[in-house]
Amino acid sequence: MKYNLMFPMRAVKHYERWIGKAGLGDVARVVEAAGFDAIAMSEHPYPDRQWLANGGHHAFDPFVSLSMMAAATERLRVVTYVMVAGYRSPYLAAKAAASLDLLSGGRLTLGMAAGYLRSEFEALGADFARRGALLDEAITAMRASWAGTDHDGPAFGVRGHLALPGPAQPGGPPIWIGGNSGAARRRAATLGQGWMPIAQSAEMAAITRTPPLADMATLRGMVAELNGRRQVAGGSPMDIVFSPFEQKLLRSGDVNDFCAALAPRRQEYAEAGVTWFTIEPASRDFEAFKRDVAMLGERLIER
């Protein structure tokens, strides 16, 4: 099992107060020292106020923030969790990803998803109705850019262009696909190297318009179906990246109950096919974050 730490979303809104005299490089060094394998940043460039008032969150630009964290560390991978493909040209995304991957020494994992927040698409002039089909083609176009070849797709077809330097990782950074929908699972199996399902209740599923995922049996079934599809296609098993059901215990800001609940279930998650845990502490400031991350490392990460 590998461990990915999501930068606390609650820290972004009040970042200056939360971080004190430290910086994102200090955050990343703490995470690396605790034994985590990766650190992640979400993406919401221009969310609407109503969504924010009902549980939504802010985020730093993922490429800017992850670059600062990669520069401060040696082995820690950096993850977009997730980049919404429709918010930008795939060629701009490919350039940003290649630059970060090369400059970090091949440590980028590109989490991508179609997105669900219509109001943000509209504010950015992005195509909400075609977001799924455009994501499929964007992945192909980005990989063409990294390979130095032309892409002939209907939306992003371009000939006679070249983007250098390319990424450090052969073929480009691995791509993890987020989302519970059938389309997301198909996309992960055919276009990605990993899948990031979302633990969500039926109520949350109604908002995201994707299947609920609220228990281990459902998770196990979804992973088995996806890996079965992957096997039929001749591919290797996928990375399954999951924020555990116990994550809700972190909302209070105390990691003790979370560690006590998750530790004995790690094998159960592994048997269900999970290969990465994503953990987001709710630390109230950077000093608390340092204590929380150290405890997570000591009680959960086996080295």
Side-chain angles (χ1 to χ4, degrees):
M1 188 70 69
K2 294 185 178 180
Y3 290 81
N4 171 45
L5 187 131
M6 172 70 79
F7 183 76
M9 297 177 193
R10 69 185 301 169
V12 180
K13 182 178 180 180
H14 303 293
Y15 177 71
E16 294 88 347
R17 186 174 68 202
W18 188 90
I19 198 68
K21 296 182 179 180
L24 284 179
D26 300 298
V27 169
R29 282 188 286 267
V30 166
V31 174
E32 184 173 65
F36 279 81
D37 301 281
I39 191 166
M41 183 64 68
S42 182
E43 173 168 63
H44 276 291
Y46 210 29
D48 71 88
R49 295 176 185 269
Q50 182 177 354
W51 181 77
L52 291 169
N54 286 279
H57 63 274
H58 294 282
F60 285 113
D61 178 276
F63 293 107
V64 173
S65 55
L66 293 174
S67 294
M68 297 191 70
M69 292 190 277
T73 53
E74 295 180 358
R75 62 162 188 84
L76 195 68
R77 294 193 67 81
V78 291
V79 183
T80 59
Y81 200 103
V82 292
M83 184 193 89
V84 179
Y87 289 171
R88 56 175 65 76
S89 157
Y91 300 113
L92 283 175
K95 169 58 74 172
S99 298
L100 177 50
D101 192 60
L102 181 63
L103 296 176
S104 68
R107 288 189 280 147
L108 174 63
T109 297
L110 200 60
M112 301 178 68
Y116 69 91
L117 192 57
R118 179 189 290 269
S119 61
E120 194 166 42
F121 273 80
E122 292 173 350
L124 298 171
D127 191 337
F128 182 80
R130 298 174 59 221
R131 65 195 186 282
L134 293 177
L135 170 55
D136 288 346
E137 189 181 342
I139 293 172
T140 303
M142 291 170 70
R143 286 187 169 137
S145 173
W146 296 332
T149 59
D150 292 334
H151 169 66
D152 295 323
F156 306 121
V158 174
R159 303 188 66 80
H161 290 253
L162 182 65
L164 294 175
Q169 297 177 87
I175 292 176
W176 291 347
I177 300 296
N180 294 7
S181 69
R185 298 198 301 274
R186 183 268 310 159
R187 190 172 291 122
T190 58
L191 295 174
Q193 288 92 10
W195 180 45
M196 298 180 289
I198 305 167
Q200 60 180 8
S201 64
E203 291 78 12
M204 185 61 185
I207 297 173
T208 62
R209 298 182 181 180
T210 60
L213 175 49
D215 57 69
M216 191 70 75
T218 304
L219 174 63
R220 186 181 299 110
M222 284 182 163
V223 173
E225 180 268 336
L226 186 142
N227 275 328
R229 181 184 300 181
R230 184 84 165 184
Q231 186 176 19
V232 168
S236 57
M238 308 202 64
D239 275 319
I240 305 297
V241 190
F242 190 61
S243 184
F245 298 114
E246 293 79 7
Q247 176 73 33
K248 61 181 179 293
L249 295 173
L250 287 172
R251 293 173 186 167
S252 67
D254 186 346
V255 301
N256 285 291
D257 289 346
F258 172 77
C259 290
L262 179 59
R265 299 191 73 193
R266 288 174 294 182
Q267 186 59 34
E268 187 178 1
Y269 278 104
E271 291 171 355
V274 174
T275 60
W276 282 78
F277 280 134
T278 291
I279 299 173
E280 182 193 348
S283 315
R284 298 187 181 282
D285 54 44
F286 183 53
E287 292 303 314
F289 178 83
K290 289 190 287 186
R291 295 191 298 270
D292 292 344
V293 170
M295 181 177 293
L296 290 167
E298 290 167 5
R299 296 181 59 180
L300 296 177
I301 301 177
E302 299 174 352
R303 292 290 181 263

